Amino acid sequence: MELEQYRRSVGGISYLDVGEGPVTVFVHGVFTNALLWRHCVQKLAPHRRCIAIDLPGHGHTPPVADATVHGLARAVRTVLTSLHLTDVHLVGNDTGGAVCQLVYTADPGRIASLALTNCDTEGNFPPPLFAPAAWLARLGLLSLLRPLANAPNLVRQAYRIGYQHPAPPEIIRRFVAPVIGTPDGTRFMRRLLSSMDSKQLTAATEALRHCTIPTALIWGTGDRLFKLRWASWLKDLIPGATDVVIVPGGRLFFPDDRADELVTALRNHWN
């Protein structure tokens, strides 16, 4: 399936819109884009309407003025409200998991279920291993990474922190080019990474304490940024979460390179 033919845009936010059925919205994190979900979308589209959003400053969506996780959440809500989507099943990874938490916090009645894979939470935003990237941003040094936008094979090795089997060089190029390949992209990422602070998720934590909708926690155990204990923390926090589904050895971006296991877990969750 060639996904680009299913690309749409609303309110300046680009997204892939594939299939028919229950609405499932996929939200990626920083330094990826909607293509992180390409295998999941292809497997689920025969039975579900799959919407994979390019967050601001990523993929085909340009930067926005609000370069914070709240600005990212506002972009997702723009898609949901502009398309008049209800009974939405939200799926998030990495920073996208934090975005999903904030989307639920702002409009809980629109959300039918949550599925959080390895992601940021209050107390782990940003995770300690990611802190050097935030420091580089605050020091204004992200522009030094710009030549890497034209070196996908080299960057592909850096992505091994999130992949057991890295995506093809062309996918990696499409991940990094918008965020470090242009001055506008670099400026946006500088502001976004510099803004990351655990307090930004305090309201989401409070909302999740009262979240009774079905919530799946699907966690790769090989992730060095989001350890398994954060899945347990979410399970204890969210009344609607009944269990943690383990993906043994899965790293941060397992929704891409181990999509079969995620799709199985999602189907079990929705059933």
Side-chain angles (χ1 to χ4, degrees):
M1 180 188 295
E2 175 49 56
L3 288 178
E4 287 306 313
Q5 65 180 305
Y6 299 101
R7 185 168 295 283
R8 307 287 185 267
S9 179
V10 65
I13 311 301
S14 179
Y15 61 96
L16 301 172
D17 192 346
V18 188
E20 296 182 0
V23 177
T24 309
V25 174
F26 297 88
V27 188
H28 66 84
V30 294
F31 293 107
T32 60
N33 58 43
L35 293 177
L36 178 78
W37 307 103
R38 63 194 188 281
H39 299 307
C40 293
V41 165
Q42 289 173 339
K43 295 174 187 299
L44 290 168
H47 307 287
R48 305 184 75 86
R49 181 182 180 184
C50 297
I51 296 175
I53 296 172
D54 278 342
L55 292 175
H58 296 74
H60 292 263
T61 301
V64 295
D66 186 358
T68 69
V69 67
H70 291 278
L72 304 184
R74 193 170 294 112
V76 173
R77 291 179 60 208
T78 293
V79 175
L80 302 189
T81 57
S82 297
L83 299 182
H84 308 290
L85 301 177
T86 57
D87 296 323
V88 173
H89 300 270
L90 272 181
V91 184
N93 174 255
D94 191 17
T95 316
V99 171
C100 288
Q101 295 169 46
L102 291 171
V103 170
Y104 170 79
T105 300
D107 197 357
R110 194 180 296 271
I111 309 304
S113 77
L114 282 172
L116 301 176
T117 69
N118 300 51
C119 67
D120 296 280
T121 61
E122 185 182 18
N124 193 38
F125 181 56
L129 196 60
F130 192 75
W135 297 336
L136 281 175
R138 292 184 181 116
L139 292 171
L141 299 177
L142 280 184
S143 59
L144 298 178
L145 302 179
R146 197 166 297 151
L148 295 178
N150 296 313
N153 285 307
L154 179 60
V155 178
R156 190 168 182 257
Q157 299 307 310
Y159 271 70
R160 285 187 178 275
I161 191 172
Y163 279 100
Q164 291 175 284
H165 312 289
E170 174 57 20
I171 296 296
I172 297 297
R173 186 194 67 78
R174 294 172 73 175
F175 283 171
V176 301
V179 295
I180 64 172
T182 68
D184 284 348
T186 303
R187 281 191 291 269
F188 178 79
M189 289 304 296
R190 175 185 178 181
R191 290 158 48 215
L192 177 61
L193 299 184
S194 298
S195 75
M196 289 183 174
D197 185 283
S198 193
K199 293 179 181 178
Q200 292 192 343
L201 299 181
T202 299
T205 297
E206 186 58 32
L208 291 175
R209 294 186 196 279
H210 308 284
C211 175
T212 57
I213 63 172
T215 301
L217 304 169
I218 308 166
W219 225 261
T221 62
D223 186 0
R224 296 166 58 194
L225 288 92
F226 303 107
K227 300 288 189 179
L228 185 59
R229 69 185 181 91
W230 291 107
S232 298
W233 183 85
L234 285 166
K235 177 180 176 293
D236 292 340
L237 176 70
I238 304 172
T242 57
D243 204 358
V244 177
V245 178
I246 299 300
V247 180
R251 299 183 187 176
L252 175 58
F253 300 134
F254 81 84
D256 189 2
D257 66 348
R258 295 177 64 174
D260 283 341
E261 290 163 88
L262 177 57
V263 166
T264 296
L266 288 174
R267 284 174 170 157
N268 290 337
H269 164 54
W270 294 322
N271 287 337

